[in-house]
């Protein structure tokens, strides 16, 4: 007997489904493939539950991403607050929301979708610290996502206070999960393995990331016109700050050997600029391939190249201020990396003294 076909899900406007390794992934991406394309926002899970009923968390995330008005957005509820902050069909977004970077808005929209799925129709005034703690602890397996959700929730509640939604911010009583360092720095062994085994386009991307110390969101938009007289100019998406980075001699050689097939520096096989999702897909496949061949890239991620840049600069004797001028990071972050390197040096000196003593 033939197996019954799974019913096709009718998706709302601007929602796209991709199939990877037998699993469906959904994203809200308005006007995809056009000049007017908006940011791509991942949606959690599927539109329907295994029972066939609508998945409230998914639909809440869709409404948060698209700004669609919900008929149940009663006054004083979280759904009404999210619409007031991020905007809706009949109202503009708040200036504070529009002032956030595109990357921050994307991260917050995912968090707001989860918040709406849990509390969308509940009154904002009823939220207590214990509720925030329960939601945070439910996400203990993904501490970074939990911290992002707490930050998004704290931001919208802080915005609501002077506007009369409530008088305090319960998030102030709930600490984030300890800020560990989720990205390991790439060793020179891993970098050399990548140079030897990865496809040229991914080697070029690795080199640009390593020798500029920038985020992926700043690397993919880089244009050839940003390079002038041996310096590359970067306007960072997350902070809006600008940095001017002299080209390392190895990066100069890489750029000189690249074919200019687009106004963008990094392109795919067909000479088209990378989309964020397209790049992540190809990069992930290369990571799997190089790890299988060499074992040198286990546990590494693209963002770890930014940490490697900081570590190599510090090991070369650069001051914290010099590193900040290259990467555009905060002093606290560079100080954090510098402290780690200093502890390693002190530990080596201590053991050497111990050995000499005995």
């Amino acid at each position: 007997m033939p197996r019954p076909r799974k019913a096709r899900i009718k998706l709302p406007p601007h929602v796209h489904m991709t199939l990877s390794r037998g699993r469906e992934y959904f994203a809200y991406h308005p006007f995809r493939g056009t000049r007017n394309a908006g940011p791509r926002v991942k949606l959690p899970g599927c539109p329907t539950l295994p029972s066939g009923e609508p998945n409230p968390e998914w639909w809440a995330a869709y409404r948060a991403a698209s700004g669609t008005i919900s008929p149940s957005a009663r006054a004083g509820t979280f759904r009404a607050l999210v619409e007031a902050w991020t905007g809706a069909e009949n109202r503009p977004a708040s200036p504070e929301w529009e002032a956030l970077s595109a990357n921050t808005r994307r991260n917050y929209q995912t968090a707001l979708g989860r918040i709406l799925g849990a509390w969308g129709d509940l009154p904002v005034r009823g939220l207590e610290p214990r509720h925030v703690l329960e939601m945070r602890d439910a996400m203990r397996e993904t501490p970074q996502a939990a911290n992002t959700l707490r930050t998004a929730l704290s931001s919208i509640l802080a915005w609501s206070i002077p506007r009369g939604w409530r008088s305090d911010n319960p998030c102030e009583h709930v600490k984030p999960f300890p800020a560990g360092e989720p990205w390991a720095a790439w060793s020179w062994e891993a970098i050399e393995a990548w140079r030897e085994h990865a496809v040229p386009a991914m080697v070029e991307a690795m080199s640009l990331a390593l020798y500029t110390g920038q985020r992926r969101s700043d690397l993919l938009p880089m244009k050839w016109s940003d390079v002038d007289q041996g310096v590359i100019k970067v306007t960072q998406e997350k902070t809006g700050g600008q940095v001017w980075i002299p080209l390392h001699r190895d990066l100069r050689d890489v750029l000189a050997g690249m074919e200019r097939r687009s106004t963008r520096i990094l392109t795919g096989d067909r000479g088209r600029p990378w989309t964020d999702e397209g790049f992540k897909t190809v990069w992930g496949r290369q990571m799997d391939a190089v790890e299988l061949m060499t074992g040198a890239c286990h546990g590494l991620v693209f963002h770890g190249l930014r940490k490697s840049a900081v570590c190599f600069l510090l090991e070369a004797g650069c001051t914290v201020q010099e590193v900040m001028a290259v990467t555009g990071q905060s002093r606290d972050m560079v100080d954090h990396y510098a402290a780690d390197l200093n502890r390693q040096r002190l530990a080596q000196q201590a053991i050497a003294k111990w050995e000499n003593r005995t």
Side-chain angles (χ1 to χ4, degrees):
M1 176 181 292
R3 296 176 61 183
R5 295 183 63 184
K6 184 178 179 180
R8 180 181 294 274
I9 300 172
K10 185 176 181 180
L11 300 177
H14 305 303
V15 172
H16 305 275
M17 187 272 286
T18 57
L19 188 65
S20 177
R21 298 180 181 178
R23 184 176 178 183
E24 295 176 341
Y25 296 88
F26 296 86
Y28 174 77
H29 195 177
F31 308 107
R32 182 180 66 169
T34 71
R35 292 183 177 180
N36 298 322
R40 183 181 186 277
V41 180
K42 292 182 180 178
L43 300 175
C46 295
T48 57
L49 299 171
S51 63
E53 298 175 350
N55 180 349
E57 182 179 349
W58 191 95
W59 285 98
Y62 166 72
R63 287 193 292 269
S66 64
T68 303
I69 288 182
S70 167
S72 61
R74 297 188 301 272
T77 63
F78 275 95
R79 198 175 311 283
L81 176 58
V82 169
E83 290 183 358
W85 193 37
T86 65
E89 187 174 341
N90 65 344
R91 69 170 68 180
S94 68
E96 290 80 4
W97 174 261
E98 292 182 337
L100 299 174
S101 71
N103 188 57
T104 298
R105 288 199 299 269
R106 284 193 294 269
N107 292 335
Y108 279 14
Q109 282 168 332
T110 301
L112 292 174
R114 183 180 290 271
I115 291 168
L116 290 176
W119 304 328
D121 299 321
L122 299 179
V124 176
R125 289 184 181 274
L127 187 69
E128 299 177 10
R130 62 188 177 91
H131 301 134
V132 181
L133 184 64
E134 288 171 0
M135 181 170 282
R136 187 207 70 170
D137 289 350
M139 300 174 65
R140 63 172 60 89
E141 298 299 325
T142 54
Q144 187 176 358
N147 290 344
T148 298
L149 184 142
R150 177 193 169 277
T151 301
L153 178 60
S154 181
S155 297
I156 195 173
L157 291 176
W159 181 85
S160 77
I161 291 172
R163 292 164 177 82
W165 290 77
R166 59 179 299 137
S167 60
D168 64 335
N169 187 343
C171 293
E172 294 178 353
H173 303 282
V174 179
K175 294 182 179 180
F177 284 117
E181 178 50 65
W183 305 293
W186 288 52
S187 66
W188 277 114
E189 177 189 9
I191 292 169
E192 290 300 332
W194 190 264
R195 286 171 172 164
E196 182 176 354
H197 297 285
V199 298
M202 295 296 101
V203 174
E204 293 161 358
M206 181 276 294
S207 300
L208 196 61
L210 176 64
Y211 291 115
T212 65
Q214 301 303 303
R215 304 175 184 87
R216 184 183 66 246
S217 59
D218 296 320
L219 294 167
L220 297 184
M222 284 183 181
K223 299 179 180 179
W224 288 105
S225 59
D226 295 327
V227 182
D228 184 37
Q229 298 182 0
V231 175
I232 186 165
K233 176 185 175 182
V234 181
T235 300
Q236 296 182 320
E237 182 201 45
K238 185 175 182 179
T239 64
Q242 291 185 333
V243 291
W244 292 264
I245 308 168
L247 299 180
H248 188 285
R249 62 173 179 267
D250 291 347
L251 181 57
R252 286 200 302 267
D253 291 342
V254 171
L255 295 177
M258 292 175 62
E259 181 182 356
R260 300 193 182 193
R261 300 185 293 175
S262 167
T263 57
R264 302 280 181 90
I265 296 176
L266 299 178
T267 62
D269 291 339
R270 297 181 181 180
R272 296 177 181 175
W274 290 106
T275 63
D276 189 60
E277 288 302 313
F279 180 84
K280 286 194 293 186
T281 298
V282 176
W283 180 271
R285 291 172 181 166
Q286 284 291 286
M287 288 292 294
D288 292 342
V290 176
E291 170 62 17
L292 184 64
M293 288 186 284
T294 69
C297 297
H298 181 70
L300 297 178
V301 297
F302 186 85
H303 197 80
L305 292 164
R306 180 165 161 86
K307 182 175 181 180
S308 295
V310 176
C311 293
F312 292 148
L313 287 166
L314 290 170
E315 289 173 350
C318 296
T319 66
V320 169
Q321 291 85 352
E322 288 171 335
V323 176
M324 291 168 58
V326 172
T327 65
Q329 290 170 299
S330 68
R331 184 182 186 90
D332 288 344
M333 181 59 71
V334 179
D335 280 339
H336 172 69
Y337 291 151
D340 284 347
L341 290 176
N342 287 335
R343 281 194 291 271
Q344 294 176 25
R345 295 191 187 103
L346 289 172
Q348 291 172 348
Q349 294 173 7
I351 296 300
K353 290 179 179 179
W354 188 6
E355 290 177 343
N356 292 334
R357 179 68 175 176
T358 57

